[in-house]
Amino acid sequence: MVAPKNTFKQALIQGQRRIGCWMSFAEPITAEIMGTAGFDWLVIDGEHAPNDIRSIRDQLMALENSPSHPVVRVPVGETWLIKMVLDAGAQTVLVPIVESAEQARELVRACRYPPDGVRGVGAMASRATMYGAVDDYIQTADQEICLLLQVENRAGIAALDEILQVDGVDGVFIGPADLSTDMGFQGNSAAPEVREVISDALNRIKAAGKAPGILGTNDDATQTYLEMGAQFLAVGIDVMLLTQASRALAAQWKAK
Ligand SMILES: O=C(O)C(=O)C[C@H](O)[C@@H](O)CO
């Protein structure tokens, strides 16, 4: 079997815009449904959704034949967690709350095999190699893995230029909910002060030759981030899609 190419990473390198969606149900069946919607990428959220390594693996399996590229967000940037999601077959990893270049360098090392990194070699028994069927996985994995870091507080913003110098970081995602809360706006990411910081950060990320990313949870925010130049842009969350549609439907028919 030929080692899988990371088409999402290639698209980011080529400067293409990628429209995605968050998945917070932590269920393979909803991942499978989302995989039919036409998004370029889908986040399997290990930070705020009730996922474990088995549910992450099952959602990766559910998306196997989907054109939507799975991005696994680990709960924290720990080497052992990154090792597990890579072995489960993730090629793109999103790490929350990155605050320094040193942390970014450690995360790059967590994604790479020795001698460049510290990823343990258990490939033959893992899903990443289709249980040994991909002969050249170890030789090709480092270049196919896409590492996306989340900068989402004042410390991260202060360290952004240094983080952007770290080789092996493919993109930086600004977390509007966390950033606005850390800035004292309690989740109000539409506050002008927050929007200004987001706009400046997205510009700096692009200028450094990395892909800028963000999540908009309503049309106004999404349109604003699009105009600010977000390249990998999540435009919603599956749970919110269901809550909004089901509440609107109930209200529509109860009002008759
Ligand atoms: O700070 C943010 O915004 C994010 O990191 C995305 C969120 O975690 C979220 O809205 C998805 O649960």
Side-chain angles (χ1 to χ4, degrees):
M1 247 173 122
V2 179
K5 291 275 169 225
N6 188 336
T7 52
F8 176 77
K9 179 173 177 170
Q10 283 313 314
L12 294 187
I13 290 169
Q14 288 161 13
Q16 293 171 25
R17 181 183 295 145
R18 300 280 91 182
I19 299 296
C21 195
W22 230 254
M23 299 196 303
S24 297
F25 280 109
E27 289 291 344
I29 192 161
T30 51
E32 195 169 44
I33 293 166
M34 292 297 287
T36 67
F39 290 108
D40 299 318
W41 56 289
L42 291 166
V43 173
I44 299 170
D45 188 4
E47 187 188 13
H48 291 304
N51 273 303
D52 58 20
I53 191 61
R54 287 172 191 268
S55 65
I56 289 171
R57 176 205 59 195
D58 291 351
Q59 289 167 86
L60 288 168
M61 290 168 75
L63 290 174
E64 185 64 30
N65 296 315
S66 159
S68 307
H69 179 81
V71 172
V72 176
R73 177 160 78 168
V74 287
V76 287
E78 290 286 346
T79 299
W80 67 272
L81 281 169
I82 291 173
K83 176 169 26 185
M84 286 175 90
V85 301
L86 293 179
D87 279 355
Q91 285 188 305
T92 301
V93 178
L94 178 64
V95 181
I97 316 183
V98 176
E99 298 179 327
S100 70
E102 192 189 341
Q103 196 184 351
R105 276 190 290 274
E106 280 311 303
L107 293 165
V108 172
R109 283 168 59 71
C111 290
R112 293 186 175 170
Y113 284 125
D116 296 333
V118 295
R119 182 176 174 191
V121 185
M124 297 312 271
S126 77
R127 186 174 176 272
T129 67
M130 280 296 126
Y131 316 100
V134 178
D135 301 327
D136 58 348
Y137 181 81
I138 293 174
Q139 292 77 9
T140 56
D142 288 1
Q143 72 218 34
E144 296 303 330
I145 286 160
C146 178
L147 176 61
L148 307 172
L149 305 184
Q150 282 189 246
V151 164
E152 45 187 351
N153 58 25
R154 285 166 297 167
I157 293 289
L160 180 60
D161 290 336
E162 286 160 30
I163 291 170
L164 289 169
Q165 295 307 311
V166 177
D167 206 29
V169 173
D170 298 294
V172 174
F173 176 101
I174 304 299
D178 282 287
L179 178 62
S180 55
T181 303
D182 188 58
M183 287 177 66
F185 292 92
Q186 270 62 44
N188 176 17
S189 52
E193 294 88 337
V194 179
R195 288 255 165 113
E196 200 181 316
V197 172
I198 291 175
S199 174
D200 177 59
L202 294 174
N203 281 330
R204 282 152 68 192
I205 297 162
K206 190 173 168 54
K210 313 273 190 201
I214 197 160
L215 163 68
T217 52
N218 59 63
D219 287 350
D220 168 64
T222 305
Q223 182 63 35
T224 302
Y225 300 149
L226 195 72
E227 288 163 15
M228 286 178 183
Q231 191 190 345
F232 64 105
L233 175 61
V235 298
I237 302 178
D238 58 1
V239 169
M240 286 179 70
L241 296 176
L242 181 63
T243 54
Q244 285 161 359
S246 56
R247 287 168 195 171
L249 187 65
Q252 177 189 340
W253 291 101
K254 289 193 76 165
K256 299 273 179 206

Coordinates of all heavy atoms in Angstrom, one line a residue, residues 2 27 72 206-207 240:
V2 N 0.4 2.3 -0.8 CA 1.2 3.5 -0.8 C 0.9 4.4 0.4 O -0.3 4.4 0.8 CB 0.8 4.3 -2.1 CG1 1.5 5.6 -2.3 CG2 1.0 3.4 -3.3
E27 N -19.0 11.2 18.0 CA -19.7 9.9 17.6 C -19.3 9.6 16.1 O -19.4 10.5 15.3 CB -21.2 10.1 17.6 CG -21.9 10.2 19.0 CD -21.8 8.9 19.7 OE1 -21.6 7.8 19.1 OE2 -22.0 8.9 21.0
V72 N -7.4 16.3 14.0 CA -7.7 15.9 15.4 C -7.1 16.9 16.3 O -5.9 17.2 16.3 CB -7.0 14.5 15.7 CG1 -7.3 14.1 17.2 CG2 -7.7 13.4 14.8
K206 N 0.1 34.9 8.2 CA 0.3 34.8 6.7 C 1.6 35.4 6.3 O 2.3 34.8 5.4 CB -0.9 35.6 6.1 CG -1.0 35.3 4.6 CD -2.3 36.0 4.0 CE -2.3 36.0 2.5 NZ -2.1 34.8 1.8
A207 N 2.0 36.5 6.8 CA 3.3 37.1 6.4 C 4.5 36.2 6.7 O 5.5 36.3 6.0 CB 3.4 38.5 7.1
M240 N -24.0 22.8 17.4 CA -24.8 24.0 17.2 C -25.7 23.9 16.0 O -26.8 24.5 16.0 CB -23.8 25.2 17.0 CG -23.1 25.6 18.3 SD -22.0 27.0 18.0 CE -23.1 28.3 17.7

